Structure formats: structure tokens, C-alpha cells
Amino acid sequence: MKIIHCADLHLDSSMESGLPPEKAGERRLELLRTFTRMVERAAEEQVEAILLAGDLFDAGTVSARAGSCVLDVVAEHPQITFYYLQGNHDRNGFLSDAGRLPDNLKTFGPGWTSYEQGEVTITGAELCKDTPEDLMERLALNQSRVNIVMLHGTAGEQEGSDPQDTVPLRALRGRGIDYLALGHIHSFRLDRLDDRGCWCYSGCLEGRGFDECGEKGY
């Protein structure tokens, strides 16, 4: 089973802080095209699932063009299941405004939600004001399964000052996690979580400024 883990696409970013409006519009289209190219490659490689680990969009308002593009791409690839976990930039009405979502687009909420696909269980929760304080303690996984957990936040050993932005690695060790798919940091990082699993920032698909140089991808 092939799975893509990506995050922090920041589609529909204004891009106008360092670019004139015309060029900013071109960059927004390029970001959308990068997303569609990734999905096209996934279809060519017979990928079965794409993990969107937060900040798919950049701001509270999503343009009709960007929203329709994402939904159309998802609907056009029913053989791929898309798991969309909202990040701190995704606090918008995209999902509610979209009406009926494609059957192959799976979403999460402030509590743990799990989906089974083949031998893999994909579990995620959105870190927001409605997230329970004891979220990590509530995580219960079937350790006989292959377990992927999705979160969007800053990885650290303990709870940080802002629980809506913190992924406490210590609280997730020994829980039966094989792969902890993270978003929020725009650079790739892969490290051990415990004897069983690892945690990973996929980084972003492409940089949006000179502060995000270097190799990018998923």
C-alpha cells in the first residue's frame, strides 16, 4: 500500500507582501498546479491514500477557484482516499461551504477520529479551542494494526504553553503508533518516536518566499 504524506500547502495564499498583484496571482495558480501535479503523480504510482496534515489553505477565506479546484481533483481520483486534517490556518468555512463532499475525502474533528483502509488505521485530531485537554490520554489504538496518527503542531517532549499548537511526543510514546504524520513545520524531519514507530514532518510542497529555500516535497 502506497501512501503520500504532505502538509502546509497554503493554497490561496495572498502572496502580495513581496509581489505585485499580477505576479501574486500567477504564484497562487502555480501552487494549485503543484497540488494537482502531486495527485496526478500519485495516480500514476497507484497511491491509495494521501494524508493532508494541515494548512491545506492559507487563510480564513478560500476563493471559489481554489476550493473548487481541490474538490474537483479529489472527485476525479476516486481510487485515492484523501485524509484532510485542518491546521491552524485552515479555520475557515471551506468544508461547510462546499456542500456534499466527495466520498473519498475524509475529515477529522477536535476529538480522535479513525478510518480503516486495508491493514492500516489512520487516526487524527485537530488541535483547536474545542480540543479536549486530555486528548493524548484518550488515544486508544489497536496495536495489532498498522497505525498512522495525524496531527498539526509543534513537536516537543511535553505540553507547551499553547496546547492548540503543541504535539507532546512523550505522551504519544508506547501507544502503538507506527507513523506520526505531522504538519506545521515547513522543513522535512524524520525521527524515532519509540521502539515501534517514527514521527515525521513532510515539509511543504514548495516555498512561498526566500525564507523557505531548499529541497521541498512530500
Side-chain angles (χ1 to χ4, degrees):
M1 180 177 180
K2 292 183 178 180
I3 299 173
I4 281 178
H5 166 206
C6 64
D8 301 289
L9 284 74
H10 288 276
L11 302 178
D12 226 22
S13 178
S14 68
M15 306 294 292
E16 293 185 3
S17 60
L19 293 173
E22 182 178 349
K23 291 295 184 182
E26 290 180 12
R27 285 295 292 131
R28 286 194 291 272
L29 287 175
E30 289 170 353
L31 290 172
L32 279 172
R33 179 57 184 149
T34 297
F35 170 70
T36 61
R37 286 175 58 206
M38 178 191 70
V39 178
E40 289 166 0
R41 179 64 183 274
E44 293 170 0
E45 295 291 333
Q46 297 182 318
V47 168
E48 296 181 42
I50 294 180
L51 314 178
L52 302 166
D55 288 356
L56 175 61
F57 297 101
D58 186 63
T61 302
V62 177
S63 68
R65 179 178 62 185
S68 295
C69 176
V70 169
L71 291 177
D72 288 347
V73 169
V74 171
E76 289 165 2
H77 295 85
Q79 76 278 25
I80 301 173
T81 304
F82 294 77
Y83 296 91
Y84 172 35
L85 180 93
Q86 292 190 101
N88 56 301
H89 280 263
D90 286 315
R91 304 301 174 211
N92 53 58
F94 166 69
L95 293 175
S96 57
D97 293 343
R100 188 178 186 277
L101 300 176
D103 292 338
N104 59 325
L105 178 60
K106 309 301 181 183
T107 61
F108 301 87
W112 294 113
T113 301
S114 294
Y115 299 96
E116 293 190 356
Q117 185 168 348
E119 72 278 13
V120 177
T121 299
I122 298 168
T123 301
E126 295 170 354
L127 303 181
C128 61
K129 61 181 178 61
D130 297 321
T131 302
E133 292 184 2
D134 60 345
L135 176 72
M136 303 305 163
E137 287 70 28
R138 295 187 184 191
L139 179 61
L141 301 173
N142 182 346
Q143 301 207 18
S144 66
R145 302 273 297 172
V146 176
N147 290 307
I148 295 175
V149 172
M150 295 175 63
L151 289 166
H152 186 92
T154 303
E157 285 303 309
Q158 301 182 29
E159 290 281 3
S161 57
D162 183 2
Q164 297 180 32
D165 186 45
T166 305
V167 178
L169 298 177
R170 180 177 295 179
L172 294 172
R173 293 194 173 99
R175 297 295 184 115
I177 298 172
D178 294 286
Y179 185 83
L180 177 59
L182 299 177
H184 194 46
I185 303 301
H186 292 192
S187 299
F188 173 79
R189 183 176 177 184
L190 176 66
D191 209 339
R192 297 301 306 178
L193 177 65
D194 53 24
D195 291 339
R196 172 165 173 162
C198 60
W199 62 274
C200 180
Y201 281 115
S202 65
C204 55
L205 291 189
E206 61 176 277
R208 292 177 296 140
F210 291 110
D211 58 336
E212 293 182 352
C213 297
E215 187 174 0
K216 302 297 178 184
Y218 54 83

